[in-house]
Amino acid sequence: MAGSCLPILGAVLLAPVLPRMQDHFDDVAGSAALVPLVLTVPALSLALLAPFAGFVLDRFGRKRLLVVATVLYTVFGTVPLWMGSLHGILVSRVLLGVTEAAIMTACTTLIGDYYTGRARDRYLALQTMCSAASATLFFVLGGALGAAGWRVPFWLYAVGLLLAPVMARVLPDPAPSAAASGLPAVATERRPFPVRRMAGVCLLTVFGAVVFYTVPVEMAYLLDDLGVENTGAIGAVTAVASAATVAGSILFTRFTGGPRRRLPAVFLLCGAGFVVMGLAGSLPLLIAGAVLNCVGTGLLLPSLLTLAMSRLEFADRGRGTGLWMSAFFLGEFICPLVLLAGKGALSGLAAAVGVLGGVTALVAAVLLPLVRRAPESRGGKAAAAGPGAAAPEAAPGAAPAAGTAPAAVAEPS
């Protein structure tokens, strides 16, 4: 869970200090465009390189790459503490995004390796909860540390040096062996990656990421359109929305059954929140719509992720998770571009958000007959069986009981 929060640190930590950083590099040509890239370019690197990270995970092992990437995360993350060149800082941020791609893909893949069924669903929901909560925490820390200088928040990247030794010691190696699992040798042979099985869920994830990031990215602008310019009020509303996302993730852990069946209802909930926000003429109504939407996005992210995991076997899980991560962060990157285009084509940002709500409801309507006809996913049997075996429920650092197959191998094909 701590490793999963590291890419969030890179995404929000510097937001409060960008104006001071802009002032420092004001004499650099193109700084007005380059300084914002310091915040956003790691996400683009993550989106482009996550599939490659997944390939490395499947080929060379999850734990080894996670530990190395966490150390390099600190190295590249703290470079701006002593570098005076804006272009050099941008290069370090690109390299930071490379490490974030490896960390996020490895952490999510390990959850899929260690757990099955409801235990896996709970941990993936917990990952969403931790990410949403840490975003708020890191934003506050970035603002507090930034008061001492725009470089000071970069010291937080040193946390990687604290996490890496713990990861190396505590996390077990999830690599299965055919002999230990009792499966025939053919089960571990290399085979073509199931592209068709993952294509649909990845495409849906790109759209889901646009839905997920609309409120965090655009809320300040929507509030400004209503005449709310106080930064404290904007921060408070953003915190309420973040809390609603956490609440949605908690709600996800209370549901039973496969996430595929719930996706139409979840998208409909998100769309309803957008419609309320688009029609809101007052602050209370805008907040109500944002809360409704964010409860839905708190359900949406773990639903999409567990759906992807249920379609992957151990040998494919790294590459499949990398593709899913790439799709999600690609959606994050294009989210503001989509809404900017909608704002230009319509009468304003609120209208664009309302139209996005209608499109989201349409996606829910299209999904409804598809999920009713579709057979159970590959992970459905494991989920139906529940976490009755010791392996799925065991803590990551605990040794499996004698005779117990690794959780990832125990899943039926």
Side-chain angles (χ1 to χ4, degrees):
M1 296 301 109
S4 299
C5 292
L6 294 182
I8 309 301
L9 175 68
V12 302
L13 177 66
L14 304 181
V17 300
L18 285 183
R20 301 185 68 173
M21 193 175 180
Q22 180 71 62
D23 293 339
H24 181 84
F25 291 108
D26 195 46
D27 58 340
V28 177
S31 61
L34 295 177
V35 169
L37 283 178
V38 170
L39 180 67
T40 59
V41 77
L44 181 59
S45 294
L46 200 158
L48 295 176
L49 296 173
F52 177 75
F55 173 81
V56 176
L57 287 174
D58 283 341
R59 181 61 62 91
F60 300 107
R62 288 81 146 115
K63 177 180 173 180
R64 182 185 309 168
L65 181 63
L66 175 60
V67 174
V68 172
T70 303
V71 173
L72 293 177
Y73 174 90
T74 290
V75 174
F76 298 133
T78 55
V79 162
L81 287 170
W82 56 80
M83 181 170 286
S85 166
L86 178 57
H87 295 90
I89 290 175
L90 273 174
V91 172
S92 74
R93 298 293 288 177
V94 171
L95 295 174
L96 179 73
V98 175
T99 67
E100 289 178 350
I103 291 170
M104 197 66 180
T105 306
C107 287
T108 307
T109 302
L110 284 171
I111 293 174
D113 291 341
Y114 291 147
Y115 304 101
T116 58
R118 292 296 299 154
R120 177 190 290 173
D121 292 352
R122 286 195 297 269
Y123 271 93
L124 292 174
L126 181 61
Q127 187 184 37
T128 303
M129 292 162 51
C130 290
S131 298
S134 67
T136 303
L137 174 63
F138 293 148
F139 189 88
V140 173
L141 284 176
L145 294 174
W150 67 266
R151 294 186 191 269
V152 177
F154 287 96
W155 279 109
L156 284 181
Y157 287 100
V159 71
L161 292 181
L162 301 178
L163 287 178
V166 181
M167 291 172 171
R169 178 165 181 81
V170 172
L171 295 178
D173 190 342
S177 66
S181 65
L183 295 177
V186 69
T188 61
E189 290 179 357
R190 291 196 176 276
R191 61 195 184 286
F193 181 78
V195 175
R196 293 181 60 186
R197 193 188 308 156
M198 290 297 297
V201 68
C202 285
L203 183 61
L204 190 61
T205 297
V206 173
F207 178 75
V210 173
V211 172
F212 185 88
Y213 277 103
T214 293
V215 170
V217 169
E218 304 295 342
M219 178 56 80
Y221 298 100
L222 291 168
L223 290 170
D224 185 67
D225 289 344
L226 289 179
V228 180
E229 299 179 355
N230 182 277
T231 56
I234 293 173
V237 173
T238 304
V240 169
S242 178
T245 302
V246 175
S249 301
I250 295 173
L251 190 62
F252 175 87
T253 65
R254 301 292 186 264
F255 288 139
T256 58
R260 175 173 54 81
R261 300 286 185 183
R262 295 194 297 268
L263 275 176
V266 171
F267 272 113
L268 185 61
L269 181 63
C270 295
F274 282 145
V275 170
V276 173
M277 293 171 65
L279 298 176
S282 64
L283 180 60
L285 193 59
L286 179 64
I287 294 174
V291 168
L292 187 65
N293 173 268
C294 288
V295 170
T297 58
L299 290 163
L300 177 63
L301 181 53
S303 294
L304 290 170
L305 188 49
T306 53
L307 178 62
M309 284 289 181
S310 71
R311 297 176 174 222
L312 297 167
E313 296 178 0
F314 183 90
D316 308 317
R317 194 167 289 130
R319 285 167 291 171
T321 303
L323 282 175
W324 188 92
M325 289 292 170
S326 179
F328 183 77
F329 283 95
L330 177 62
E332 175 189 356
F333 183 74
I334 68 173
C335 174
L337 303 179
V338 169
L339 290 165
L340 182 63
K343 179 181 177 180
L346 301 168
S347 58
L349 180 59
V353 171
V355 170
L356 178 59
V359 174
T360 306
L362 181 62
V363 170
V366 171
L367 286 176
L368 187 59
L370 295 179
V371 299
R372 285 178 175 174
R373 291 199 308 264
E376 287 297 322
S377 60
R378 298 179 72 86
K381 296 178 181 178
E393 295 288 358
T404 301
V409 188
E411 291 182 325
S413 299

